[in-house]
């Protein structure tokens, strides 16, 4: 088993590699507008550094968002294209779920917390999670909203992602987990494959694309 993870749901372009047995390697770059420019070189850099040829891969796992249309699409299309070219399966995992796993791995955070990422337009993508017997369970979401419109009880919870960085006056308990770690994404994919879990490759855009056609703009 050798799994490549790709996530472009946030301003971090992230790639990761795992063998499902403890070997994990990652590369990432922060650039909210540079997903197309940086993703392929990062994949090549990671595989080269690990001595892995594309033909050695057994699966690709992509972060399915939620995320802004253009950035998210770059990672998902790249992953699906690689899978098709190599003849290997492609799986999808909600990117907020990956961040939630990172939160719990980082240390004690209580039994309830929130992940909130930048959705632009002064909004956040968010979901609430609970920890049940050591397992991370999504309690609500994902959704997209203006931070001020979230219930006070939600905004008072420990919150990971870049939401608290962008809106510190609204999220009072930030958690220092900001962007998706594609090594964790790949590891979750390996776990799901071993368990026979369904991991559909379905993008979570949650709203219309930022870029509209001329006809769409005329109707809006």
């Amino acid at each position: 088993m050798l799994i490549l993870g790709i996530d472009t749901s946030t301003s971090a372009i992230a790639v990761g590699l795992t063998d499902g047995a403890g070997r994990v390697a990652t590369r990432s770059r922060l650039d909210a507008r540079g997903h197309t420019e940086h993703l392929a070189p990062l994949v090549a850099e990671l595989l080269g550094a690990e001595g892995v040829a594309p033909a050695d891969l057994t699966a690709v796992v992509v972060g399915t968002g939620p995320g802004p249309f253009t950035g998210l699409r770059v990672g998902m299309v790249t992953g699906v294209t690689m899978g098709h070219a190599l003849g290997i399966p492609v799986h999808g995992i909600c990117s907020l779920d990956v961040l939630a796993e990172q939160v719990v791995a980082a240390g004690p955070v209580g039994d309830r917390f929130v992940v909130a990422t930048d959705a632009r337009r002064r909004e956040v993508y968010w979901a609430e999670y609970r920890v049940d017997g050591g397992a991370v369970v999504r309690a609500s979401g994902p959704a997209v909203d203006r931070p001020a419109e979230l219930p006070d009880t939600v905004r008072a919870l420990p919150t990971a992602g870049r939401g608290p960085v962008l809106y510190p006056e609204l999220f009072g308990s930030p958690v220092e987990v900001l962007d998706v770690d594609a090594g964790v994404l790949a590891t979750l994919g390996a776990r799901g494959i071993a368990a026979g879990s369904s991991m559909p490759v379905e993008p979570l855009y949650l709203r219309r694309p930022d870029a509209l056609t001329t006809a769409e703009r005329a109707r809006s």
Side-chain angles (χ1 to χ4, degrees), residues 76-98:
M76 296 195 68
V77 169
T78 298
V80 169
T81 301
M82 286 187 67
H84 179 74
L86 297 170
I88 58 177
V90 182
H91 305 280
I93 296 177
C94 172
S95 303
L96 300 184
D97 292 353
V98 181

Side-chain angles (χ1 to χ4, degrees), residues 2 4 43-44 47-48 51-60 82 86 88:
L2 201 55
L4 177 69
V43 170
L47 296 184
V52 172
D56 297 329
L57 298 173
T58 57
V60 179
M82 286 187 67
L86 297 170
I88 58 177

Side-chain angles (χ1 to χ4, degrees), residues 38 43 51 55 65 80 83 95 106 110 118 135 139 141 149 155 173 177 185 187 194 197:
H38 297 304
V43 170
V80 169
S95 303
D118 183 16
E149 295 174 356
R155 288 191 286 105
S173 301
V177 173
L185 169 64
T187 299
S197 302

